[in-house]
Amino acid sequence: MSYPYQIQSREEYDSVYQKSVADPEGFWSDIAGHFYWRKRWDKVLDWNFTEPDVKWFSGAKLNITENCLDRHLGLLGNKPAIIWEPNSPEEHHRMLTYRDLHLKVMQFANVLKNNGVTKGDRVCIYMGMVPELAIAVLACARIGAIHSVIFGGFSAQSIADRLQDANAKFIVTCDGAFRGNKEIPLKSVIDDALVQCKFVEKVIVLTRTRTPVSMIKGRDVWWEDEIKKVETQGNADCPAEEMDAEDMLFILYTSGSTGKPKGVVHTCGGYMVYTNYSFINVFNYQPGEIFFCTADIGWITGHSYIVYGPLSAGATTLMFEGVPTWPDAGRFWDIIDKYKVNIFYTAPTAIRSLMGYGLGPVQQHKLTSLRVLGTVGEPINEEAWNWFHEHIGKSKCPIVDTWWQTETGGILISNMANVTPGIPTYATYPLPGVQPVLLDEQGGEITGNNVTGNLCIKFPWPGMIRTTYGDHERCRTNYFATYENQYFTGDGSFRNEEGMYRITGRVDDVLNVSGHRIGTAEVENAINMHAGVVESAVVGYPHEIKGQGIYAYVILNNDQVDKELFKKDITATVSRIIGPIAKPDKIQFVKGLPKTRSGKIMRRILRKVAEGEMENLGDTSALLEPAVVQEIVKGKL
Ligand code: WT7
C-alpha cells in the first residue's frame, strides 16, 4: 500500500470518520506527518467562526512546491508529472517528467524574480491550458508570490476589477489560446484591461498562437526571451521560499450574491494537506495511474485536482487544451484511449452535451483503461449519471459525485471510489474531518434522516477559505454570519435514510451555469450598463445542457426600438462587462417588475415564470402592482 492514509474499505471509512470527529487534531496531524515540512507545527488547529479566524498547523514552515516536486525526484524523477494534449489532435503532445517540471518551475521562478516579483506579491495569470500555466502557478508558489489565475473566458473589465482588487503588479499571459476552432486573443484582452491599470509593471507573454500582439517597451516581455536570459545567467536552481503554513498561497475570484466577485484566499499548509488527502481518497488513486480532470486551471477544480492534489501525490496529471466537441464529440474518448487514462473527472454539463451526439462517437473507442469516473460542479441528473455509468464506465467503474466549492478548497462530500457506495444524484457522505449539518431558516439544527435544510459545516477543515482578499468583513458576512458558529455553504441539501446527502442547489441568488458560478446581481449590473436599459432582474431556469440557463427580465427606456437588435446589444454588453460565460440565454422585455411596497423585487415569481410555472405563483397580494405579473406571464419566452 503506497499511501498510508488511503482508506480501503467501508468499515475503515466508518472508523476513520469517527476518529476524525472525535479527535480532529490528532487525525489531521497524523496525515500532515506524511508531508515535507521545513519545520513542524506548534499547534494543529486554532479557530473561531465568529471573526472568523482559522489557523491550521500554526508555526509550521514549508513550501508546497517541495511537496509537489522536490520530494518526488528520488523515486519518481523520470515518471510523467504532466501529460499535455493540445487542442488539435494533429499537434504533438508533450510530456513533462517530475524532473522536467521541477527544472522548468525553477527556471520560471527565476524569471519572475528577475522581473521584480518578490514574496507576497500578487501575480495575475491569464493563460490558456498549456503546461506553462501549471508552471507559472508553481513558480509563484516556489517564491512565495500569491497567484491569482483568471479564467480565459473573462472580459478585460473583469480582469481590470480583479487586478485592482488584488493590486497585482505582475501578469503572466499568452499571445493567444486555441480552443476548438477558435483563437482567443488573450494578450489583446490584457492590453484592454491595462488601459485602466497603470500600476501593472510587467507582463510576461508566452508564445502560443503567435497572433500579432503589441509589446510595450519596458512593460511587456516574452516568456521565451526571459527563460533564455536565465539559462545564460546559469542560475538553473531556485531554492524554495520558506513559507508559513498560514501564508497566502493563492487568490481565486468567485461570484456571490452581490455585484462584485470576491477573492477567495487559500493558504499553504492546510490547502496542501486537504487537496492531497481528498485526491488520494476520493479517487482511490493508485501509483502510476493517469488522472484526467477536464476542468480549466482558471477554476478551483483545476487548481486542486489538476495541479496541487495530483502533484503532491506524485501522480500523473493530464492537461487538455481543447474542448470536448472539436474536431468531433469523441475528443475526450480519443484522449482516454490514447493515454490509457485510468481516472476521468468531468462536469455533468459536458456529459449532457456529449450525450446529445449519440453513441456513435463513443462506440469507436475502447475506454478499457478506465477504472474510476467522477463529476463535479452541479447536481448530476439521473439520466446523465446512467449514460456516464453505462457507456463510458461500461457499468464497471464507480462514479464519484464530488460536492465542494471554491471556498472549500477541496472535495467535502463525496462517495469514495471502491470504498463507499455511489448512487445517482447523491454526493453521499462527508469526507473524514468534514462535519456537515442541516439548518432551518431560524438556525435550528435539523437532525435525523429524510430531512431537507440549508447545508452548513460546523467544524473547520484544513482546506477551507481563510478570508476574502482585502476585506475580511466580507468573508464574515458572506459565510459566517447567517448562522452562528457555522460555515454556510449557500446550498440546500436533503439527507436520506442512510444519512447520505443529496445537494439540491443554491438557496441564494447565485446561478450555476454549466458548472460555473454566476451571481444574478453581477449580470443585472452588466445589463443595466446598457444605455437603453432602465432596470433588470435575472433568474435561473432549468436548461437541458447547462443545468441552469440565464433568464433576464429587462425594462427599456424606450419601447419603440428594434427588440431583436436590442437583445443582441444587451448580450454584447454583458460579454464586454463580465465575459461570454455570463451571456443571458433569454431576454424578455417587460414594462414593470413585480415589487413589494418596499421596492424589493419578488424573484420567487420571476423564477417560477422562467421555469414555466404559470399557475401557482403563490401569494401576490404584497405586490405594489399585481398587474405586472399578468404581463410577464403573457410574454414568457
Ligand atoms: C457550487 C460551487 C467545486 C468545483 C466546481 C464549482 C455546486 C459543486 C456539486 C455537486 C451538486 C455541486 C454547488 C456549490 N456544486 N459540485 N457534486 N453536486 N452541486 O465550484 O464555482 O465554487 O461552485 O457548485 O452549488 O455551492 P464553484
Side-chain angles (χ1 to χ4, degrees):
M1 200 166 67
S2 58
Y3 298 107
Y5 45 90
Q6 187 174 61
I7 297 171
Q8 304 294 332
S9 66
R10 174 67 201 251
E11 296 66 41
E12 194 185 345
Y13 164 77
D14 289 336
S15 76
V16 169
Y17 186 79
Q18 271 172 21
K19 179 187 169 185
S20 79
V21 173
D23 175 19
E25 298 196 28
F27 171 73
W28 286 113
S29 107
D30 284 352
I31 291 159
H34 294 281
F35 293 77
Y36 173 65
W37 304 86
R38 297 266 187 100
K39 176 184 170 285
R40 280 255 182 165
W41 48 93
D42 304 317
K43 190 140 193 278
V44 179
L45 174 63
D46 255 320
W47 72 287
N48 74 71
F49 275 179
T50 28
E51 288 177 50
D53 183 18
V54 175
K55 291 195 187 80
W56 282 94
F57 312 115
S58 280
K61 304 280 185 194
L62 78 155
N63 186 292
I64 196 168
T65 70
E66 287 187 325
N67 285 276
C68 289
L69 302 169
D70 304 60
R71 74 165 169 156
H72 301 315
L73 293 180
L75 281 173
L76 304 173
N78 297 322
K79 289 271 155 53
I82 295 180
I83 295 173
W84 176 75
E85 172 69 14
N87 180 54
S88 162
E90 317 269 288
E91 191 180 336
H92 217 278
H93 74 275
R94 285 169 63 188
M95 194 276 282
L96 301 175
T97 64
Y98 271 93
R99 201 177 312 287
D100 298 333
L101 184 60
H102 178 248
L103 183 73
K104 285 187 186 294
V105 167
M106 290 199 299
Q107 279 183 327
F108 192 65
N110 282 326
V111 167
L112 291 173
K113 281 191 190 167
N114 284 347
N115 282 280
V117 182
T118 58
K119 182 176 181 172
D121 283 340
R122 277 78 53 217
V123 178
C124 159
I125 303 178
Y126 186 68
M127 300 172 84
M129 282 286 285
V130 288
E132 284 76 9
L133 166 52
I135 291 167
V137 161
L138 292 164
C140 287
R142 187 80 175 172
I143 63 170
I146 300 163
H147 55 78
S148 165
V149 184
I150 301 180
F151 174 64
F154 281 110
S155 69
Q157 184 61 51
S158 295
I159 297 169
D161 292 344
R162 286 158 173 75
L163 288 171
Q164 265 150 13
D165 188 80
N167 189 24
K169 301 194 177 76
F170 306 94
I171 298 178
V172 186
T173 189
C174 301
D175 48 1
F178 294 120
R179 273 180 70 78
N181 55 12
K182 290 203 200 87
E183 240 187 82
I184 297 149
L186 296 177
K187 172 62 162 64
S188 150
V189 179
I190 289 288
D191 289 337
D192 289 344
L194 294 196
V195 173
Q196 307 177 42
C197 301
K198 300 292 180 206
F199 52 86
V200 169
E201 292 167 13
K202 274 280 150 70
V203 182
I204 303 174
V205 187
L206 178 84
T207 308
R208 175 65 184 125
T209 56
R210 204 48 193 101
T211 183
V213 290
S214 67
M215 293 293 282
I216 304 297
K217 194 181 292 166
R219 189 194 72 185
D220 300 351
V221 295
W222 288 107
W223 173 300
E224 294 79 4
D225 293 349
E226 296 301 299
I227 292 285
K228 274 200 205 98
K229 276 189 213 160
V230 167
E231 279 170 349
T232 48
Q233 282 163 359
N235 56 342
D237 274 9
C238 177
E241 188 75 34
E242 188 166 285
M243 306 295 285
D244 235 80
E246 283 298 337
D247 278 341
M248 287 187 197
L249 175 63
F250 66 85
I251 306 171
L252 187 58
Y253 285 86
T254 190
S255 297
S257 38
T258 61
K260 195 179 142 219
K262 43 191 183 262
V264 171
V265 170
H266 286 287
T267 58
C268 297
Y271 177 81
M272 168 181 78
V273 170
Y274 198 77
T275 51
N276 174 282
Y277 182 79
S278 52
F279 171 73
I280 287 169
N281 280 293
V282 170
F283 299 105
N284 187 242
Y285 183 81
Q286 305 298 315
E289 287 191 323
I290 316 272
F291 180 80
F292 178 17
C293 165
T294 67
D296 190 290
I297 295 179
W299 308 107
I300 190 70
T301 308
H303 282 61
S304 301
Y305 301 112
I306 295 178
V307 182
Y308 290 112
L311 295 178
S312 66
T316 299
T317 178
L318 197 150
M319 252 180 103
F320 173 43
E321 184 184 36
V323 298
T325 50
W326 189 85
D328 60 57
R331 192 70 175 107
F332 281 166
W333 325 132
D334 277 336
I335 297 172
I336 290 169
D337 277 358
K338 178 169 174 190
Y339 301 103
K340 306 210 166 21
V341 168
N342 306 102
I343 307 174
F344 179 62
Y345 188 33
T346 194
T349 186
I351 299 169
R352 287 192 299 264
S353 125
L354 294 172
M355 278 168 74
Y357 291 83
L359 288 176
V362 181
Q363 278 159 350
Q364 301 151 26
H365 299 87
K366 293 218 230 5
L367 305 180
T368 44
S369 56
L370 287 173
R371 194 176 63 81
V372 174
L373 304 174
T375 65
V376 60
E378 51 177 318
I380 179 162
N381 50 309
E382 197 147 357
E383 198 191 351
W385 192 98
N386 285 330
W387 189 87
F388 199 35
H389 186 250
E390 187 178 332
H391 299 294
I392 306 307
K394 312 294 179 200
S395 304
K396 66 177 180 47
C397 302
I399 300 177
V400 290
D401 177 349
T402 66
W403 173 85
W404 58 298
Q405 311 176 296
T406 305
E407 293 84 351
T408 70
I411 299 162
L412 292 196
I413 303 183
S414 175
N415 50 317
M416 294 186 187
N418 301 320
V419 171
T420 55
I423 54 169
T425 77
Y426 279 79
T428 75
Y429 295 114
L431 264 65
V434 175
Q435 302 187 34
V437 286
L438 298 180
L439 300 186
D440 61 28
E441 296 295 332
Q442 286 73 43
E445 181 167 348
I446 306 170
T447 53
N449 289 339
N450 273 325
V451 290
T452 304
N454 287 348
L455 179 64
C456 291
I457 315 288
K458 70 171 177 197
F459 194 86
W461 65 100
M464 72 183 292
I465 181 175
R466 298 300 195 271
T467 188
T468 44
Y469 192 81
D471 191 352
H472 192 62
E473 176 57 14
R474 201 158 171 219
C475 174
R476 193 187 69 79
T477 49
N478 256 289
Y479 307 107
F480 299 92
T482 316
Y483 300 112
E484 204 179 324
N485 266 315
Q486 303 279 353
Y487 166 79
F488 177 41
T489 64
D491 280 322
S493 178
F494 171 71
R495 187 170 51 220
N496 78 359
E497 218 90 272
E498 283 118 287
M500 291 175 166
Y501 290 86
R502 172 189 214 227
I503 310 300
T504 47
R506 303 287 307 194
V507 295
D508 52 9
D509 291 323
V510 171
L511 307 182
N512 189 325
V513 180
S514 302
H516 300 153
R517 221 153 113 178
I518 296 168
T520 52
E522 248 181 285
V523 183
E524 288 164 6
N525 286 350
I527 293 174
N528 296 349
M529 287 180 80
H530 187 283
V533 171
V534 177
E535 199 183 0
S536 64
V538 166
V539 296
Y541 72 97
H543 186 287
E544 221 178 298
I545 290 175
K546 298 179 178 186
Q548 270 189 311
I550 302 180
Y551 196 117
Y553 298 90
V554 177
I555 306 177
L556 296 176
N557 59 15
N558 173 6
D559 213 28
Q560 309 303 308
V561 293
D562 178 340
K563 299 269 164 63
E564 286 315 304
L565 187 59
F566 246 71
K567 284 186 186 176
K568 289 187 185 142
D569 287 351
I570 289 170
T571 306
T573 311
V574 174
S575 243
R576 173 75 62 186
I577 302 298
I578 306 175
I581 53 170
K583 286 198 284 204
D585 298 279
K586 292 184 179 178
I587 299 176
Q588 180 183 347
F589 294 117
V590 294
K591 292 211 174 62
L593 292 167
K595 285 189 182 172
T596 60
R597 287 189 184 83
S598 60
K600 217 174 140 256
I601 297 174
M602 297 257 284
R603 288 165 179 285
R604 177 175 52 83
I605 294 175
L606 295 176
R607 232 177 271 133
K608 283 213 164 153
V609 175
E611 284 165 7
E613 165 76 66
M614 309 300 205
E615 308 285 299
N616 305 309
L617 294 175
D619 187 9
T620 54
S621 60
L623 287 179
L624 194 58
E625 277 182 275
V628 299
V629 177
Q630 265 48 64
E631 188 224 339
I632 286 171
V633 168
K634 257 207 266 135
K636 151 102 177 65
L637 300 171

